[in-house]
Amino acid sequence: MGTGGLVGAGPAPADTAGHLLEKIREGGAYARARKKRFRRASSALKVLTLALSAASTIILGLQDLDFWAGLGFALVALVTLLGAVESFFNWRSRWVLMEETQYRFRRLADDLEYLIASTPADELTHDRLRPVFDAYQDVWAHLSDRWLQERRALTAAPESR
């Protein structure tokens, strides 16, 4: 990439900038889609846990009825199971991670669009685009590192008990 504007040494810097902007936008779309999925899963699990917990508490208050007491205890068991599922999948943390990643891709796209708009075409070089590409790579590296940290923490947690 570091041709600095040499003729015939690869794509023109403007083409490279367009390609890089497309990749950044794809990264943002990826983060946005995953964020929506994780937010939905996190919210659904929280609402379901709350509803089951409330229902089980009310039902246990009706303990003179054997059926209702049994149902209440089953709901308490389900709440416990959902709590375990939540801590395993950690939807909220993943949702927040995608929110952060989406922000970083948006910011990077804005920076690149400004660079393209504020730089005359003959002064736009691969060397000027390199820091944007490096920042793009850093976003992915940060996302991967955080993802692995989360997975390791969840894997190590049961062993420490």
Side-chain angles (χ1 to χ4, degrees), residues 84-122:
V85 168
E86 164 66 19
S87 66
F88 177 76
F89 287 109
N90 203 8
W91 296 113
R92 181 169 178 77
S93 177
R94 292 162 77 182
W95 159 25
V96 171
L97 178 60
M98 289 304 142
E99 181 77 31
E100 175 189 352
T101 301
Q102 184 182 2
Y103 162 77
R104 293 181 73 192
F105 278 128
R106 275 193 202 136
R107 176 67 190 263
L108 194 55
D110 289 346
D111 290 347
L112 179 56
E113 288 171 345
Y114 178 78
L115 178 65
I116 293 168
S118 66
T119 306
D122 59 334

CSV table of all heavy atoms in Angstrom, one decimal, residues 84-122:
chain,number,residue,atom,x,y,z
A,84,ALA,N,-28.5,-18.8,34.9
A,84,ALA,CA,-27.3,-19.5,34.5
A,84,ALA,C,-27.0,-19.3,33.0
A,84,ALA,O,-25.9,-19.1,32.6
A,84,ALA,CB,-27.4,-21.0,34.9
A,85,VAL,N,-28.1,-19.4,32.2
A,85,VAL,CA,-27.9,-19.2,30.8
A,85,VAL,C,-27.4,-17.7,30.5
A,85,VAL,O,-26.6,-17.5,29.7
A,85,VAL,CB,-29.3,-19.4,30.1
A,85,VAL,CG1,-29.2,-18.9,28.6
A,85,VAL,CG2,-29.6,-20.9,30.1
A,86,GLU,N,-28.0,-16.8,31.2
A,86,GLU,CA,-27.6,-15.4,31.1
A,86,GLU,C,-26.1,-15.2,31.4
A,86,GLU,O,-25.4,-14.6,30.6
A,86,GLU,CB,-28.4,-14.5,32.0
A,86,GLU,CG,-27.9,-13.1,32.2
A,86,GLU,CD,-27.8,-12.2,30.9
A,86,GLU,OE1,-28.6,-12.5,30.0
A,86,GLU,OE2,-27.1,-11.2,30.9
A,87,SER,N,-25.7,-15.8,32.5
A,87,SER,CA,-24.3,-15.6,32.8
A,87,SER,C,-23.4,-16.4,31.8
A,87,SER,O,-22.2,-15.9,31.6
A,87,SER,CB,-24.0,-16.1,34.3
A,87,SER,OG,-24.2,-17.5,34.4
A,88,PHE,N,-23.9,-17.4,31.2
A,88,PHE,CA,-23.0,-18.1,30.3
A,88,PHE,C,-22.9,-17.4,29.0
A,88,PHE,O,-21.8,-17.2,28.4
A,88,PHE,CB,-23.6,-19.5,30.0
A,88,PHE,CG,-22.9,-20.3,28.9
A,88,PHE,CD1,-21.7,-20.9,29.2
A,88,PHE,CD2,-23.4,-20.4,27.6
A,88,PHE,CE1,-21.0,-21.6,28.3
A,88,PHE,CE2,-22.7,-21.0,26.7
A,88,PHE,CZ,-21.4,-21.6,27.0
A,89,PHE,N,-24.0,-16.9,28.4
A,89,PHE,CA,-24.0,-16.2,27.1
A,89,PHE,C,-23.6,-14.7,27.3
A,89,PHE,O,-23.1,-14.1,26.4
A,89,PHE,CB,-25.3,-16.3,26.4
A,89,PHE,CG,-25.6,-17.7,25.9
A,89,PHE,CD1,-26.5,-18.5,26.4
A,89,PHE,CD2,-24.8,-18.1,24.8
A,89,PHE,CE1,-26.7,-19.8,25.9
A,89,PHE,CE2,-25.0,-19.4,24.3
A,89,PHE,CZ,-26.0,-20.2,24.8
A,90,ASN,N,-23.9,-14.1,28.4
A,90,ASN,CA,-23.5,-12.8,28.7
A,90,ASN,C,-23.9,-11.8,27.6
A,90,ASN,O,-23.2,-11.0,27.1
A,90,ASN,CB,-22.0,-12.7,29.0
A,90,ASN,CG,-21.6,-11.5,29.8
A,90,ASN,OD1,-22.4,-10.8,30.3
A,90,ASN,ND2,-20.3,-11.2,29.9
A,91,TRP,N,-25.2,-11.9,27.3
A,91,TRP,CA,-25.7,-11.1,26.2
A,91,TRP,C,-25.5,-9.6,26.3
A,91,TRP,O,-25.2,-8.9,25.4
A,91,TRP,CB,-27.2,-11.3,26.0
A,91,TRP,CG,-27.6,-12.7,25.6
A,91,TRP,CD1,-28.2,-13.7,26.4
A,91,TRP,CD2,-27.2,-13.4,24.4
A,91,TRP,NE1,-28.3,-14.9,25.7
A,91,TRP,CE2,-27.7,-14.7,24.5
A,91,TRP,CE3,-26.6,-13.0,23.2
A,91,TRP,CZ2,-27.6,-15.6,23.5
A,91,TRP,CZ3,-26.4,-13.9,22.2
A,91,TRP,CH2,-26.9,-15.2,22.3
A,92,ARG,N,-25.7,-9.1,27.6
A,92,ARG,CA,-25.6,-7.6,27.8
A,92,ARG,C,-24.2,-7.2,27.5
A,92,ARG,O,-24.0,-6.1,26.8
A,92,ARG,CB,-26.0,-7.3,29.2
A,92,ARG,CG,-25.9,-5.8,29.5
A,92,ARG,CD,-26.6,-5.4,30.8
A,92,ARG,NE,-26.5,-4.0,31.0
A,92,ARG,CZ,-27.2,-3.1,30.5
A,92,ARG,NH1,-28.1,-3.4,29.6
A,92,ARG,NH2,-27.0,-1.8,30.8
A,93,SER,N,-23.2,-7.9,28.0
A,93,SER,CA,-21.8,-7.5,27.7
A,93,SER,C,-21.5,-7.5,26.2
A,93,SER,O,-20.8,-6.6,25.7
A,93,SER,CB,-20.9,-8.4,28.5
A,93,SER,OG,-19.5,-8.1,28.2
A,94,ARG,N,-22.0,-8.5,25.5
A,94,ARG,CA,-21.8,-8.6,24.1
A,94,ARG,C,-22.5,-7.5,23.3
A,94,ARG,O,-21.9,-6.9,22.4
A,94,ARG,CB,-22.2,-10.0,23.6
A,94,ARG,CG,-21.4,-11.1,24.2
A,94,ARG,CD,-22.0,-12.4,24.1
A,94,ARG,NE,-22.0,-13.0,22.7
A,94,ARG,CZ,-22.5,-14.2,22.4
A,94,ARG,NH1,-23.1,-14.9,23.3
A,94,ARG,NH2,-22.4,-14.6,21.2
A,95,TRP,N,-23.6,-7.1,23.8
A,95,TRP,CA,-24.4,-6.0,23.2
A,95,TRP,C,-23.6,-4.7,23.4
A,95,TRP,O,-23.4,-4.0,22.4
A,95,TRP,CB,-25.8,-6.0,23.9
A,95,TRP,CG,-26.5,-4.7,23.8
A,95,TRP,CD1,-26.4,-3.7,22.9
A,95,TRP,CD2,-27.5,-4.3,24.7
A,95,TRP,NE1,-27.3,-2.7,23.2
A,95,TRP,CE2,-28.0,-3.0,24.3
A,95,TRP,CE3,-28.1,-4.9,25.8
A,95,TRP,CZ2,-29.0,-2.4,24.9
A,95,TRP,CZ3,-29.1,-4.2,26.5
A,95,TRP,CH2,-29.6,-2.9,26.1
A,96,VAL,N,-23.1,-4.5,24.6
A,96,VAL,CA,-22.3,-3.3,24.8
A,96,VAL,C,-21.0,-3.3,24.0
A,96,VAL,O,-20.6,-2.2,23.4
A,96,VAL,CB,-22.0,-3.1,26.3
A,96,VAL,CG1,-21.0,-2.0,26.6
A,96,VAL,CG2,-23.3,-2.9,27.1
A,97,LEU,N,-20.4,-4.4,23.8
A,97,LEU,CA,-19.2,-4.5,23.0
A,97,LEU,C,-19.5,-4.1,21.6
A,97,LEU,O,-18.7,-3.4,20.9
A,97,LEU,CB,-18.6,-5.9,23.1
A,97,LEU,CG,-17.4,-6.2,22.3
A,97,LEU,CD1,-16.2,-5.3,22.7
A,97,LEU,CD2,-17.0,-7.7,22.4
A,98,MET,N,-20.6,-4.6,21.1
A,98,MET,CA,-21.0,-4.3,19.7
A,98,MET,C,-21.3,-2.8,19.6
A,98,MET,O,-21.1,-2.2,18.5
A,98,MET,CB,-22.1,-5.2,19.2
A,98,MET,CG,-21.7,-6.6,19.0
A,98,MET,SD,-20.3,-6.7,17.8
A,98,MET,CE,-19.4,-8.0,18.5
A,99,GLU,N,-21.9,-2.2,20.6
A,99,GLU,CA,-22.2,-0.8,20.6
A,99,GLU,C,-20.9,0.0,20.5
A,99,GLU,O,-20.8,0.9,19.7
A,99,GLU,CB,-23.0,-0.4,21.9
A,99,GLU,CG,-23.4,1.0,22.0
A,99,GLU,CD,-24.6,1.4,21.1
A,99,GLU,OE1,-25.4,0.6,20.9
A,99,GLU,OE2,-24.6,2.6,20.7
A,100,GLU,N,-20.0,-0.4,21.2
A,100,GLU,CA,-18.6,0.3,21.2
A,100,GLU,C,-18.0,0.1,19.8
A,100,GLU,O,-17.5,1.1,19.3
A,100,GLU,CB,-17.7,-0.3,22.3
A,100,GLU,CG,-16.3,0.3,22.3
A,100,GLU,CD,-15.4,-0.5,23.2
A,100,GLU,OE1,-15.8,-1.3,24.0
A,100,GLU,OE2,-14.2,-0.2,23.1
A,101,THR,N,-18.0,-1.1,19.3
A,101,THR,CA,-17.4,-1.3,18.0
A,101,THR,C,-18.1,-0.6,16.9
A,101,THR,O,-17.5,0.0,16.0
A,101,THR,CB,-17.5,-2.9,17.7
A,101,THR,OG1,-16.8,-3.6,18.7
A,101,THR,CG2,-16.8,-3.2,16.3
A,102,GLN,N,-19.4,-0.5,17.0
A,102,GLN,CA,-20.2,0.2,16.0
A,102,GLN,C,-19.8,1.7,16.0
A,102,GLN,O,-19.6,2.3,15.0
A,102,GLN,CB,-21.7,0.1,16.2
A,102,GLN,CG,-22.6,0.7,15.2
A,102,GLN,CD,-24.0,0.6,15.5
A,102,GLN,OE1,-24.4,0.0,16.5
A,102,GLN,NE2,-24.9,1.1,14.6
A,103,TYR,N,-19.7,2.3,17.2
A,103,TYR,CA,-19.2,3.7,17.4
A,103,TYR,C,-17.9,3.9,16.7
A,103,TYR,O,-17.6,4.8,16.0
A,103,TYR,CB,-19.2,4.1,18.8
A,103,TYR,CG,-18.4,5.3,19.1
A,103,TYR,CD1,-18.9,6.6,18.8
A,103,TYR,CD2,-17.0,5.2,19.5
A,103,TYR,CE1,-18.1,7.7,18.9
A,103,TYR,CE2,-16.3,6.3,19.7
A,103,TYR,CZ,-16.8,7.6,19.4
A,103,TYR,OH,-16.0,8.7,19.5
A,104,ARG,N,-16.9,3.0,17.0
A,104,ARG,CA,-15.6,3.1,16.5
A,104,ARG,C,-15.6,3.1,15.0
A,104,ARG,O,-14.8,3.8,14.3
A,104,ARG,CB,-14.7,2.1,17.1
A,104,ARG,CG,-14.5,2.3,18.6
A,104,ARG,CD,-13.5,1.3,19.2
A,104,ARG,NE,-12.2,1.6,18.8
A,104,ARG,CZ,-11.2,0.8,19.0
A,104,ARG,NH1,-11.3,-0.4,19.6
A,104,ARG,NH2,-9.9,1.1,18.6
A,105,PHE,N,-16.4,2.2,14.4
A,105,PHE,CA,-16.4,2.1,12.9
A,105,PHE,C,-17.1,3.4,12.3
A,105,PHE,O,-16.6,3.9,11.3
A,105,PHE,CB,-17.2,0.9,12.4
A,105,PHE,CG,-16.4,-0.4,12.4
A,105,PHE,CD1,-16.9,-1.5,13.0
A,105,PHE,CD2,-15.2,-0.4,11.7
A,105,PHE,CE1,-16.1,-2.7,13.0
A,105,PHE,CE2,-14.5,-1.6,11.6
A,105,PHE,CZ,-14.9,-2.7,12.3
A,106,ARG,N,-18.1,3.9,13.0
A,106,ARG,CA,-18.7,5.2,12.5
A,106,ARG,C,-17.7,6.3,12.6
A,106,ARG,O,-17.6,7.1,11.6
A,106,ARG,CB,-19.9,5.5,13.4
A,106,ARG,CG,-21.2,4.9,13.0
A,106,ARG,CD,-22.4,5.6,13.7
A,106,ARG,NE,-23.5,4.7,13.8
A,106,ARG,CZ,-24.2,4.5,14.9
A,106,ARG,NH1,-24.0,5.1,16.0
A,106,ARG,NH2,-25.2,3.7,14.9
A,107,ARG,N,-17.0,6.4,13.7
A,107,ARG,CA,-16.0,7.5,13.8
A,107,ARG,C,-14.9,7.4,12.8
A,107,ARG,O,-14.5,8.3,12.2
A,107,ARG,CB,-15.4,7.4,15.2
A,107,ARG,CG,-14.3,8.4,15.5
A,107,ARG,CD,-14.9,9.8,15.5
A,107,ARG,NE,-13.8,10.8,15.6
A,107,ARG,CZ,-13.3,11.3,16.7
A,107,ARG,NH1,-13.9,11.1,17.8
A,107,ARG,NH2,-12.4,12.2,16.6
A,108,LEU,N,-14.5,6.1,12.5
A,108,LEU,CA,-13.4,5.9,11.5
A,108,LEU,C,-13.9,6.3,10.1
A,108,LEU,O,-13.2,6.9,9.3
A,108,LEU,CB,-13.0,4.5,11.5
A,108,LEU,CG,-11.7,4.1,10.8
A,108,LEU,CD1,-10.5,5.0,11.3
A,108,LEU,CD2,-11.4,2.6,11.0
A,109,ALA,N,-15.2,5.9,9.8
A,109,ALA,CA,-15.8,6.3,8.5
A,109,ALA,C,-15.8,7.8,8.4
A,109,ALA,O,-15.5,8.4,7.3
A,109,ALA,CB,-17.1,5.7,8.3
A,110,ASP,N,-16.3,8.5,9.4
A,110,ASP,CA,-16.3,10.0,9.4
A,110,ASP,C,-14.9,10.5,9.2
A,110,ASP,O,-14.8,11.5,8.4
A,110,ASP,CB,-16.9,10.5,10.7
A,110,ASP,CG,-18.3,10.3,10.9
A,110,ASP,OD1,-19.0,9.9,9.9
A,110,ASP,OD2,-18.8,10.4,12.1
A,111,ASP,N,-13.9,10.0,9.8
A,111,ASP,CA,-12.5,10.5,9.7
A,111,ASP,C,-12.1,10.3,8.2
A,111,ASP,O,-11.5,11.2,7.6
A,111,ASP,CB,-11.6,9.8,10.6
A,111,ASP,CG,-11.8,10.2,12.1
A,111,ASP,OD1,-12.5,11.2,12.3
A,111,ASP,OD2,-11.2,9.5,12.9
A,112,LEU,N,-12.4,9.1,7.6
A,112,LEU,CA,-12.0,8.9,6.3
A,112,LEU,C,-12.7,9.8,5.3
A,112,LEU,O,-12.1,10.3,4.3
A,112,LEU,CB,-12.1,7.4,5.9
A,112,LEU,CG,-11.8,7.0,4.5
A,112,LEU,CD1,-10.3,7.4,4.2
A,112,LEU,CD2,-12.0,5.5,4.3
A,113,GLU,N,-14.0,9.9,5.5
A,113,GLU,CA,-14.8,10.8,4.6
A,113,GLU,C,-14.3,12.2,4.7
A,113,GLU,O,-14.2,12.9,3.6
A,113,GLU,CB,-16.3,10.7,5.0
A,113,GLU,CG,-16.9,9.4,4.6
A,113,GLU,CD,-18.3,9.3,5.1
A,113,GLU,OE1,-18.7,10.0,6.1
A,113,GLU,OE2,-19.0,8.4,4.6
A,114,TYR,N,-13.9,12.7,5.8
A,114,TYR,CA,-13.3,14.0,6.0
A,114,TYR,C,-12.0,14.1,5.2
A,114,TYR,O,-11.7,15.1,4.5
A,114,TYR,CB,-13.2,14.4,7.4
A,114,TYR,CG,-12.5,15.8,7.6
A,114,TYR,CD1,-13.3,16.9,7.4
A,114,TYR,CD2,-11.2,15.9,7.9
A,114,TYR,CE1,-12.7,18.2,7.5
A,114,TYR,CE2,-10.6,17.1,8.0
A,114,TYR,CZ,-11.3,18.3,7.8
A,114,TYR,OH,-10.8,19.5,7.9
A,115,LEU,N,-11.1,13.1,5.4
A,115,LEU,CA,-9.8,13.1,4.7
A,115,LEU,C,-10.0,13.1,3.2
A,115,LEU,O,-9.4,13.9,2.5
A,115,LEU,CB,-9.0,11.8,5.1
A,115,LEU,CG,-7.7,11.7,4.4
A,115,LEU,CD1,-6.7,12.8,4.9
A,115,LEU,CD2,-7.1,10.3,4.8
A,116,ILE,N,-11.0,12.4,2.7
A,116,ILE,CA,-11.2,12.3,1.3
A,116,ILE,C,-11.7,13.7,0.8
A,116,ILE,O,-11.3,14.3,-0.2
A,116,ILE,CB,-12.2,11.2,0.9
A,116,ILE,CG1,-11.6,9.9,1.1
A,116,ILE,CG2,-12.7,11.4,-0.5
A,116,ILE,CD1,-12.6,8.7,1.1
A,117,ALA,N,-12.7,14.3,1.6
A,117,ALA,CA,-13.3,15.5,1.2
A,117,ALA,C,-12.3,16.7,1.3
A,117,ALA,O,-12.5,17.7,0.6
A,117,ALA,CB,-14.5,15.8,2.0
A,118,SER,N,-11.4,16.7,2.2
A,118,SER,CA,-10.6,17.8,2.5
A,118,SER,C,-9.2,17.7,1.8
A,118,SER,O,-8.4,18.7,1.9
A,118,SER,CB,-10.3,18.0,4.0
A,118,SER,OG,-9.6,16.9,4.5
A,119,THR,N,-8.9,16.7,1.1
A,119,THR,CA,-7.6,16.5,0.5
A,119,THR,C,-7.8,16.5,-1.0
A,119,THR,O,-8.6,15.7,-1.6
A,119,THR,CB,-7.0,15.1,0.9
A,119,THR,OG1,-7.0,15.1,2.3
A,119,THR,CG2,-5.6,15.0,0.3
A,120,PRO,N,-7.1,17.4,-1.7
A,120,PRO,CA,-7.2,17.4,-3.2
A,120,PRO,C,-6.8,16.0,-3.7
A,120,PRO,O,-5.9,15.3,-3.1
A,120,PRO,CB,-6.1,18.4,-3.6
A,120,PRO,CG,-6.0,19.3,-2.4
A,120,PRO,CD,-6.2,18.4,-1.2
A,121,ALA,N,-7.4,15.6,-4.8
A,121,ALA,CA,-7.2,14.2,-5.3
A,121,ALA,C,-5.7,14.0,-5.6
A,121,ALA,O,-5.3,12.8,-5.4
A,121,ALA,CB,-8.0,14.1,-6.6
A,122,ASP,N,-5.0,14.9,-6.1
A,122,ASP,CA,-3.6,14.7,-6.4
A,122,ASP,C,-2.7,14.6,-5.1
A,122,ASP,O,-1.6,14.2,-5.2
A,122,ASP,CB,-3.0,15.7,-7.3
A,122,ASP,CG,-3.1,17.1,-6.8
A,122,ASP,OD1,-4.0,17.4,-5.9
A,122,ASP,OD2,-2.3,18.0,-7.2
